[in-house]
Amino acid sequence: MVEPKYVAPTGTSDILSPEVERRNCIVDKARRLLGLYCYQEMIVPTFEHTELFVRGIGEATDIVSKEMYTFGDQKGSSFALRPEATSGIVRAFIEHSLYTKSMPQKYFCIGPMFRKEKPQAGRYREFYQIDVELLGAEQPSADAEVIALLMHIFQDLGLKNLTLKLNSMGCRICRAPYREELVGYLRKVEKGLCRNCRERIKKNPLRVFDCKVEGCRHLLREAPELISVLCAQCQEHFEEVKKYLGVMGPDYELDPKVVRGLDYYTRSVFEVVSPSLGAQNVIGAGGRYDYLVEDCGGPPIAGLGFAIGIDRTSLAMKRSGLKGYEDKSLDLFIITTSHHLRFETIKRLDILRHQGFSAEMDHLSRSMKAQMRLADKLRAKIVIFIGEDEIRKGVLGVRDMATSSQEEVPFEDLLDYLYQKLGRKEKWGARG
Ligand SMILES: [Zn+2]
Ligand SMILES: [Zn+2]
């Protein structure tokens, strides 16, 4: 083995099989469920004008102030690799006047996001998300539906023992006086807080609840909680969300410390935590953002959504012993006993693949024994032999690998024989 000259950048990874299969399973199952809940897929750019994220996510957040990959072009414009997908979807929603359609509008987007964070287990600089947004409904039933959908996806993947944490971040009316109250409290305990939290008092006091430092967490146990000072409308909204969730089923825990790291959240916020992961244990999270569309230059339209971290979800599945994919096997392997029959072999192979069978042959002029070993390794269900004798007789040697029984099948009967043995296949390889 050679010493690699180039390696993938820190915080990125090459995703190889079978990890790729597990991730595809996550995406496939999510796509199927999103269809049941009437969501449409949207593909938005992986980079946007930096200003969009600054406006949307908030200048004082860690994401915008420290973690974005920004770059310029010759004209002096500044762009940023997307650190999250909501801003881009909201931008597209406004740009294409999608708010003129009947509400709500439901979208999802799947792809990589980028944040310049210190990499650790479950945290990468390029990470993959399934992002789900519902725009144009203020009603609490929408919150409950979105949260239930998130849990439905995890349930469908077989993940168990997850904790759904729920909180309300209030609105502009109730948050301003609360912020004052919290700042007042934090000033009193300032000496005991970490440096980051001391900075947060000035810039983004609610973010102190995200701090993982034990000393801070201890002091924050006594901190005033937004949930207890919600305005009447926010309180009523939250009560209704809980009632709807009660009807729909997913168990939840109220957690006044869930504040999420983005400025745009209002009212319902939620996180799903997996017990099988370490410090980075949130596998899905989201919330309501009733001012974001307006803040990004659109009409006053409410919205909410969530993102599922594909990397962490996959890790949680792996640690729970969930494969998510089926072991691959091959329908057919064609062995040729004579070098000059390779044209005949590749022609048959081509026909069979066009009939929807997965099929392989040897390209390295291996011996018959070695071809047989290869067929075994690929877990071929059926091996077809093409040799001089067979061609003369107008037949093919066909071996059922499960029973080791071998028989001769006339050329013209081969497809019917295979359909019977392997089940009917869709033509042109269109089967799933
Ligand atoms: Zn309020
Ligand atoms: Zn702290």
Side-chain angles (χ1 to χ4, degrees):
M1 266 179 266
V2 295
E3 187 67 30
K5 194 169 168 190
Y6 304 106
V7 296
T10 306
T12 69
S13 45
D14 301 311
I15 300 155
L16 311 176
S17 181
E19 178 62 20
V20 169
E21 281 82 8
R22 183 164 38 235
R23 283 161 176 258
N24 286 344
C25 150
I26 296 171
V27 168
D28 291 348
K29 288 195 167 172
R31 258 205 189 97
R32 190 186 67 85
L33 280 183
L34 285 158
L36 297 185
Y37 285 72
C38 303
Y39 281 80
Q40 298 173 46
E41 187 153 7
M42 184 190 273
I43 298 170
V44 291
T46 43
F47 66 94
E48 299 269 0
H49 289 279
T50 306
E51 181 61 21
L52 173 71
F53 300 120
V54 175
R55 286 288 305 161
I57 301 169
E59 201 158 8
T61 57
D62 286 356
I63 297 175
V64 167
S65 63
K66 298 180 200 155
E67 296 166 1
M68 281 206 298
Y69 284 98
T70 52
F71 55 96
D73 67 2
Q74 292 91 330
K75 289 180 184 163
S77 302
S78 173
F79 299 100
L81 293 180
R82 60 180 183 196
E84 52 101 60
T86 307
S87 303
I89 291 179
V90 164
R91 196 254 321 127
F93 178 75
I94 301 166
E95 185 171 340
H96 303 286
S97 310
L98 299 173
Y99 49 82
T100 58
K101 298 187 171 194
S102 68
M103 291 292 163
Q105 289 286 307
K106 297 173 164 186
Y107 304 102
F108 70 96
C109 169
I110 299 172
M113 311 292 151
F114 307 87
R115 290 184 200 174
K116 216 180 327 178
E117 289 187 282
K118 204 169 154 209
Q120 61 182 80
R123 189 164 77 187
Y124 312 99
R125 290 180 169 174
E126 182 180 34
F127 56 100
Y128 291 79
Q129 285 189 339
I130 300 168
D131 191 78
V132 175
E133 312 293 349
L134 184 153
L135 290 144
E138 275 183 81
Q139 289 73 4
S141 56
D143 302 51
E145 187 192 279
V146 164
I147 294 169
L149 165 60
L150 173 63
M151 296 312 284
H152 194 169
I153 293 173
F154 290 135
Q155 183 194 17
D156 211 37
L157 293 170
L159 284 167
K160 292 196 178 76
N161 305 320
L162 303 179
T163 309
L164 166 61
K165 296 180 178 181
L166 183 64
N167 189 22
S168 175
M169 302 271 292
C171 64
R172 277 174 184 154
I173 298 162
C174 46
R175 204 139 87 191
Y178 168 72
R179 200 182 145 113
E180 300 276 299
E181 199 187 334
L182 178 64
V183 168
Y185 174 83
L186 294 174
R187 290 263 180 248
K188 270 194 281 175
V189 298
E190 190 166 353
K191 281 206 188 85
L193 296 173
C194 73
R195 211 180 56 188
N196 268 340
C197 284
R198 289 205 297 268
E199 291 253 308
R200 285 168 178 148
I201 301 177
K202 279 172 265 158
K203 290 187 187 155
N204 199 357
L206 263 72
R207 277 302 305 265
V208 296
F209 293 112
D210 284 343
C211 188
K212 298 270 191 274
V213 177
E214 197 42 55
C216 297
R217 295 182 85 110
H218 184 76
L219 284 171
L220 288 169
R221 267 177 221 144
E222 302 294 316
E225 286 167 353
L226 177 53
I227 193 81
S228 49
V229 294
L230 291 178
C231 71
Q233 285 86 345
C234 286
Q235 194 143 25
E236 195 192 327
H237 190 275
F238 196 46
E239 288 308 315
E240 291 272 302
V241 172
K242 289 188 278 185
K243 264 191 227 163
Y244 280 113
L245 281 176
V247 174
M248 297 177 83
D251 288 332
Y252 60 87
E253 245 173 47
L254 294 178
D255 187 344
K257 306 283 190 263
V258 171
V259 294
R260 309 300 307 144
L262 298 88
D263 275 0
Y264 56 59
Y265 285 124
T266 52
R267 296 194 166 169
S268 307
V269 285
F270 46 90
E271 281 181 0
V272 180
V273 168
S274 163
S276 59
L277 303 180
Q280 304 297 321
N281 59 0
V282 177
I283 56 174
R288 183 168 270 290
Y289 46 80
D290 289 346
Y291 311 124
L292 181 61
V293 179
E294 204 178 353
D295 285 348
C296 291
I301 285 177
L304 79 157
F306 63 75
I308 289 176
I310 297 177
D311 312 83
R312 288 184 201 170
T313 301
S314 179
L315 190 60
M317 287 175 72
K318 192 176 170 186
R319 295 216 173 134
S320 309
L322 297 164
K323 277 206 304 194
Y325 55 89
E326 283 173 24
D327 284 325
K328 266 194 229 157
S329 66
L330 190 67
D331 290 331
L332 311 156
F333 191 95
I334 309 188
I335 289 181
T336 179
T337 54
S338 154
H339 188 72
H340 69 268
L341 287 173
R342 298 177 62 76
F343 292 101
E344 182 64 25
T345 307
I346 206 160
K347 186 180 106 188
R348 299 269 156 203
L349 183 76
D350 190 54
I351 290 169
L352 291 168
R353 284 174 174 162
H354 278 88
Q355 290 298 322
F357 296 104
S358 59
E360 188 57 295
M361 66 178 271
D362 163 55
H363 285 285
L364 303 183
S365 309
R366 288 180 172 88
S367 70
M368 222 175 99
K369 220 171 158 184
Q371 290 181 62
M372 200 60 201
R373 273 202 301 272
L374 185 57
D376 240 357
K377 205 169 141 192
L378 294 171
R379 297 162 39 102
K381 291 179 199 138
I382 285 182
V383 170
I384 296 175
F385 297 89
I386 301 183
E388 308 281 2
D389 276 358
E390 282 88 359
I391 295 289
R392 224 181 359 257
K393 285 198 266 178
V395 299
L396 296 154
V398 180
R399 176 184 292 193
D400 183 330
M401 297 295 274
T403 61
S404 294
S405 63
Q406 193 164 327
E407 54 193 307
E408 289 186 338
V409 178
F411 283 165
E412 61 275 16
D413 297 342
L414 182 68
L415 284 178
D416 282 335
Y417 176 90
L418 293 176
Y419 290 144
Q420 219 176 28
K421 277 268 180 203
L422 298 167
R424 182 83 205 179
K425 305 283 170 176
E426 299 282 331
K427 272 199 167 184
W428 307 105
R431 74 210 171 87

